Amino acid sequence: MNTILVVDDEVGICCVIQHLLVRQGYVVTAMTDGRAALEAVARDEYAAALIDLNLAEIDGKQVIRAARAAWPNMPIIMMSGLVLESGCGTPDLPGMSARIPGLYGLAKPFKPMDLIQLVQDILSFPAGDALAWPAAPRLESPAAAPARR
């Protein structure tokens, strides 16, 4: 199964992520409504999910918790346009420690290759083997990245 769920209330972001992943051979279900995402994760199984933390009507953390409850072994990428305190890595949200296997962070805006590489990395491990999942990568946000010459 290569179906990936993408949830972001910005249509443009959903379209870009969907385009990038479809070009890599994945089937993508993209949605901009958090309530629809709650129903989708309760009903359908996905290889992975990319979920924005700051959805318009439903908190992205709610969708992440529902996805984790329904599919405990599904890798989840938390996306956020907010600059993380350290500038990189996975945010440590209440009840969602960065140490939870299968939970990753991706700062927006991101480079297309960073997204593709992260998805390929997390899907290269057996879904049922949470201990085999790679550690959450330390992805730099654009604000923290050193200037290129």
Side-chain angles (χ1 to χ4, degrees):
M1 172 190 49
N2 284 330
T3 304
I4 298 173
L5 175 66
V6 176
V7 183
D8 197 304
D9 56 350
E10 294 183 44
V11 175
I13 301 245
C14 277
C15 288
V16 167
I17 293 172
Q18 184 173 28
H19 175 75
L20 290 169
L21 294 177
V22 166
R23 287 186 61 186
Q24 297 299 311
Y26 299 105
V27 175
V28 178
T29 299
M31 48 188 64
T32 58
D33 182 327
R35 291 185 201 287
L38 285 173
E39 293 173 14
V41 297
R43 178 186 65 234
D44 303 323
E45 185 176 3
Y46 298 96
L50 290 88
I51 303 171
D52 184 31
L53 292 176
N54 301 303
L55 298 173
E57 292 184 22
I58 295 286
D59 185 10
K61 292 176 273 187
Q62 240 181 304
V63 178
I64 291 169
R65 285 188 185 100
R68 180 59 79 217
W71 306 103
N73 292 322
M74 178 179 64
I76 299 172
I77 299 171
M78 304 177 292
M79 301 183 294
S80 178
L82 300 175
V83 176
L84 305 175
E85 186 175 307
S86 67
C88 58
T90 304
D92 191 13
L93 304 169
M96 296 179 149
S97 172
R99 294 185 182 97
I100 296 174
L103 199 57
Y104 305 90
L106 183 64
K108 295 189 294 186
F110 50 82
K111 295 176 186 170
M113 283 311 300
D114 288 343
L115 169 71
I116 292 166
Q117 189 64 56
L118 179 58
V119 170
Q120 288 174 343
D121 287 350
I122 65 175
L123 291 180
S124 68
F125 290 88
D129 191 1
L131 295 177
W133 280 336
R138 307 276 306 164
L139 297 177
E140 292 186 10
S141 70
R148 292 203 168 124
R149 295 180 192 244

